[in-house]
Amino acid sequence: MAVGTKQGYSGLQITLHWLIALLVLFQLIFGESMTNVVDALEENQTPDPTDQTLASAHYWVGIAILVLAALRIVIRLVQGAPEPVGAGLQLKAAKAIHAIFYLLLIAVPVTGLLAVYVSPEIGDIHEIGKPLFIAFIVLHALGALYHHFMVKDDTLRRMFAPR
Ligand code: HEM
Ligand code: HEM
């Protein structure tokens, strides 16, 4: 992926980063409602109305994430992005986690769509997205906080202030 020598992220990149992060959190917190609805329908039972509402939200929020993530990747290719701060293994880890996020942001909603439209069995693959996302969000957030409070560099600040 083209990484420019940019000093920071654009306002659009920052907005997309935090909007997508919020939407992913929503999916992780309420995703089980979709599983409950799928299970109820399989057993010919009427799904709980709250689960139905949240499952419908899961569907549309998931598609929104797919579209926004695709947009974000295109913008990154066009505008570039700053190189993560650090060297050696730390730099490699930061870059790897960013790449894994882009992969998950596409693969998880796509497997969700395939579970709905192609085969319910793909739902099992889709669900693996949950622990993966949680593990990488924890690592990523810890990294950001480490940069801000221990190294005291610009890493977290530049994800708030456009440049
Ligand atoms: C679902 C949640 C999240 C996802 C999917 C996500 C994804 C990403 C991705 C893909 C990048 C790389 C941007 C690029 O160079 O193209 C990035 C950068 C960044 N993220 Fe997140 N992020 C999430 C949550 C968070 C949280 C909770 C924090 C803070 C605690 C955070 C702080 C940052 C910072 C500071 C950067 C800039 C790193 C740098 O400039 O080297 N992110 N994020
Ligand atoms: C980044 C986007 C998404 C995330 C993070 C996500 C996350 C989740 C989570 C956490 C669950 C519950 C897993 C469990 O019960 O332990 C779930 C289930 C499910 N999601 Fe998603 N989802 C996303 C997008 C989508 C999309 C776009 C669709 C379809 C349009 C979808 C369809 C489903 C289905 C059908 C299930 C139930 C799977 C089953 O019971 O086998 N998801 N998702």
Side-chain angles (χ1 to χ4, degrees):
M1 215 169 267
V3 177
T5 48
K6 287 183 57 180
Q7 291 300 302
Y9 296 97
S10 66
L12 188 55
Q13 283 174 314
I14 292 171
T15 307
L16 284 171
H17 173 267
W18 293 112
L19 179 61
I20 290 171
L22 270 182
L23 295 178
V24 169
L25 277 188
F26 176 86
Q27 295 297 77
L28 294 177
I29 294 168
F30 299 110
E32 257 178 68
S33 288
M34 184 62 120
T35 307
N36 294 343
V37 168
V38 170
D39 289 349
L41 293 178
E42 262 174 18
E43 290 158 23
N44 288 318
Q45 288 169 350
T46 313
D48 176 85
T50 309
D51 278 338
Q52 265 177 321
T53 307
L54 287 172
S56 157
H58 188 84
Y59 181 95
W60 289 110
V61 169
I63 291 173
I65 292 171
L66 179 60
V67 172
L68 293 173
L71 181 68
R72 190 166 159 199
I73 290 170
V74 171
I75 291 169
R76 193 188 202 278
L77 290 171
V78 174
Q79 298 185 337
E83 183 87 349
V85 181
L89 196 63
Q90 229 186 55
L91 177 68
K92 281 199 183 123
K95 282 185 168 184
I97 292 179
H98 296 169
I100 289 167
F101 270 141
Y102 286 122
L103 196 78
L104 288 177
L105 289 172
I106 300 297
V108 174
V110 166
T111 52
L113 282 166
L114 292 176
V116 172
Y117 293 109
V118 178
S119 157
E121 266 129 60
I122 301 174
D124 293 343
I125 299 173
H126 178 68
E127 287 183 358
I128 302 171
K130 184 176 183 172
L132 289 179
F133 256 124
I134 293 172
F136 287 111
I137 290 170
V138 168
L139 285 174
H140 179 68
L142 284 177
L145 296 176
Y146 168 77
H147 275 280
H148 191 70
F149 291 107
M150 311 294 281
V151 190
K152 299 188 199 298
D153 64 23
D154 226 19
T155 300
L156 186 57
R157 233 167 285 128
R158 73 182 179 186
M159 212 17 124
F160 286 97
R163 218 166 289 168

